[in-house]
Amino acid sequence: MEHTSGKDEL
Amino acid sequence: MNIFRLAGDMTHLASVLVLLLKIHTIKSCAGVSLKTQELYALVFATRYLDIVTDFISVYNTVMKLIFLGSSFSIVWYIRHHRVVRRSYDKDQDTFRHYLLMIPCMLLALFVHEKFTFKEVMWTFSLYLEAVAILPQLVLLQRTRNIDNLTGQYVFLLGAYRGLYIFNWIYRYFTEPHFVHWITWIAGVVQTLLYADFFYYYFESWKNNVRLQLPA
């Protein structure tokens, strides 16, 4: 989950 | 998902519904900036490129589709609907898009986390979203007597941004390695743009008078 922090937001 | 994030998304959804309600039921887009709506359509189109490549959750995909669909249909309504388009304040809504789009694109090309097409587009969407409300705020300032729905629309959008900041604070303390400077700075800038509007919104609410922004 290296890059997903924030990418799960809208 | 934490409560601030959910509340933020729901406020965002409510803002879109309020705007669609105004356009669809009252058949009027008076006081609504087409420039801002077009910028939002572009924001979602460039941010949600991952809708076809990454699956996060059903909630995520559905919300993305709602924001894409609603932003493009609002633009369509204002531009093409035979009744709605007549209420558009074309002469007042004169903010030039490219003054916002070009600097955001340049900034995204230089300040990003990874130099890939998707990542630069995603970063561009964050920068653009931060300033996309400006044409709407300028239009509100020029419009005497802002109607209730338009005022509520902008208020809900501002509330959504504010709640996202609480969401980031919460995530920062609860999730390891949750550090996202670009998102945070763009988000804080965006929220600050609403500060002035919020002030006048609460003043008008407190004094029970119609919302009016000073010229």
Side-chain angles (χ1 to χ4, degrees), chain B residues 10-107:
Chain B
M10 291 305 118
T11 319
H12 192 189
L13 191 62
S15 75
V16 174
L17 291 178
V18 164
L19 190 55
L20 276 172
L21 179 82
K22 175 181 157 87
I23 292 176
H24 191 81
T25 344
I26 307 170
K27 296 278 186 287
S28 162
C29 64
V32 177
S33 166
L34 174 63
K35 305 292 172 84
T36 285
Q37 296 307 318
E38 287 177 336
L39 291 174
Y40 279 137
L42 184 62
V43 163
F44 295 133
T46 49
R47 183 174 307 166
Y48 299 160
L49 289 172
D50 65 352
I51 199 168
V52 283
T53 53
D54 304 278
F55 178 76
I56 295 157
S57 66
V58 173
Y59 171 83
N60 198 277
T61 305
V62 170
M63 292 294 271
K64 282 176 175 169
L65 289 173
I66 292 175
F67 289 132
L68 277 169
S70 58
S71 61
F72 278 92
S73 51
I74 289 166
V75 169
W76 180 87
Y77 259 113
I78 301 177
R79 278 183 169 277
H80 302 295
H81 189 281
R82 95 196 132 76
V83 183
V84 175
R85 71 171 185 209
R86 278 190 239 136
S87 57
Y88 172 49
D89 306 321
K90 196 173 186 228
D91 302 330
Q92 305 262 43
D93 190 24
T94 52
F95 206 105
R96 273 159 289 188
H97 306 87
Y98 64 86
L99 287 179
L100 299 175
M101 279 155 63
I102 294 171
C104 288
M105 187 41 91
L106 289 175
L107 193 61

Side-chain angles (χ1 to χ4, degrees), chain A, chain B residues 9 47-48 60 113 164 167-168 171 180:
Chain A
M1 299 289 270
E2 150 235 354
H3 221 281
T4 48
S5 52
K7 289 287 197 303
D8 58 340
E9 292 178 349
L10 299 158
Chain B
D9 285 351
R47 183 174 307 166
Y48 299 160
N60 198 277
E113 283 184 18
Y164 255 64
N167 154 53
W168 295 327
R171 292 186 78 170
H180 237 269

Side-chain angles (χ1 to χ4, degrees), chain B residues 10 14 122 165:
Chain B
M10 291 305 118
W122 183 80
I165 291 181

